[in-house]
Amino acid sequence: MSYIWRLPVLHALVAWIAGVAAFGSFSQLPSALRWGVRLLLLVLVIHAVSLVVRAVRGAMARPRSAVFVGLAIIIGAGIPYLCAEAASWFWLRAKSGGRGPFALTEAQVKAAEDIIAGHSQYTMHSRELGWVVKPGGKATGYAAKANAQGIRADREYALKKPDGIVRALCFGDSFTHCDEVANDQTWEHYAEQTGGMEFLNFGVGGYGMTQALLRYLHEGRRFETDVVILGCMSNDVRRSVNAYYPFRLTDPSESPNVMGIPYSTLDASGGLVLNPNPLPDADAYRELLANPGKRLRELSRLDLLFHPAPPTPMLTLIKSKAGDEITEAWSDFSFQMQRNFNAVIKSKSRVTKELPIGEDNVFDTRSPVFTINLRLFDRFVSEVKSAGAKPLILWLPGRKDFARQREGREMVYKPFADYLKAKSYDFIDVMDWIAADLPGEKGVAPDKELFVISHYSPKVNQVIGHRIADHVRELIAGKQR
């Protein structure tokens, strides 16, 4: 009978420590305590298993006590579990103000009302693209300004290319737009300063490749040009299939906006389908505000990477708090253990971090998201060539990519790079330029030199600008020959 009280207490401790581990990835604990908590968790799990084993063995020796042992195990595991589920339910409801998973937060309601009223500062709602840089817009926080054409620039550009000028149109996300720096610190600006060139910055923060391609089709083709550049980075491949901005996040309630987005899918024959923005106008947002539960459920069915909430409150809380961090942390841990093991046995084999296989891993060649993005690259190249210009694909690595580079690990986007090279597309991994021009002790300069916060510093943009200007000149020279 002692198991009846010992198991609940033990399991309650295990549940609490597991909760700390999962909910905050130990981030709420001082660093000196984290490994101690992990060790305590392991010891408690082993102890709990040993108690169960002893109880079962005892029951086998004394059949009459089997009922009591069974009850003890059920109570010992059941009470903490039910308490954890109840606590998770109350926590989630309190956090969301009593709202369920398919509901709008106050910030999201305000964002929808602003769209309906037409309020905007630097970006504005777009029927075709979800959102776009506002003509004449000015961003708060850093000196980003747009011209009257909605291009990030301090001057206007003629639709017809000036005589004697080499022109490139640049489409992509915030790394193409160059967030966190002023207009005269973007890589497009530095490229123009090399002389005889125009680099039109059509980049928009938060864009995926579907939006970048569509902006070229809707706005870029009216400009005469020599080269069209598609700038992309690792997050963009997920964004390509995203139909509603908050669904990009593990916990959609953390998103401050409610933008609908044009998204890509595949048809029955594997061809690319560019689907329209599901929230194209003010009426769509009025409907969202009037019946958010119904509309959000409908939007969730469009989004290939959206997953419904787990079946229990505790699993929902773990997912919303930890998300991909648990998978990433485990992958990092396994990689480190393999590398340490190789060091102990003095193995010369190279250990590379392998990502889990599945639909969510957009860099897995078996994922439909991977295939969709290949079709987007193909469509971009085809559209640019049909307009008589040269297509150029620029991969712009982020902080995690540079961390992998310093550790000698394979880039997660390598399958995309391999495909683009195999197709003989003009493809450049900017990592190579930065590693060559801004070297450091571990292969590349530290992040404090490369990034302002999460986007490139002026020093990095200058490297990219000068390098891309030289590359475009070579492209045009080859075209003319």
Side-chain angles (χ1 to χ4, degrees), residues 122 133-157 174-193 199-203 452 456-459 461-462 465:
Y122 186 66
V133 172
K134 179 181 178 180
K138 295 182 180 181
T140 56
Y142 64 102
K145 295 186 296 181
N147 65 14
Q149 300 158 308
I151 299 169
R152 185 176 184 185
D154 296 319
R155 66 184 183 90
E156 307 302 320
Y157 293 95
S174 55
F175 278 76
T176 300
H177 176 266
C178 297
D179 281 16
E180 300 170 6
V181 298
N183 277 20
D184 61 357
Q185 294 173 323
T186 67
W187 54 262
E188 291 91 347
H189 174 81
Y190 287 120
E192 285 192 347
Q193 295 308 298
F199 277 72
L200 282 62
N201 187 346
F202 284 91
V452 177
Y456 295 150
S457 67
K459 182 187 296 186
N461 285 333
Q462 187 173 36

Side-chain angles (χ1 to χ4, degrees), residues 228-244:
V228 182
I229 298 173
L230 175 63
C232 51
M233 50 91 69
S234 298
N235 286 344
D236 294 353
V237 295
R238 284 182 173 273
R239 296 172 181 174
S240 298
V241 299
N242 177 223
Y244 177 64

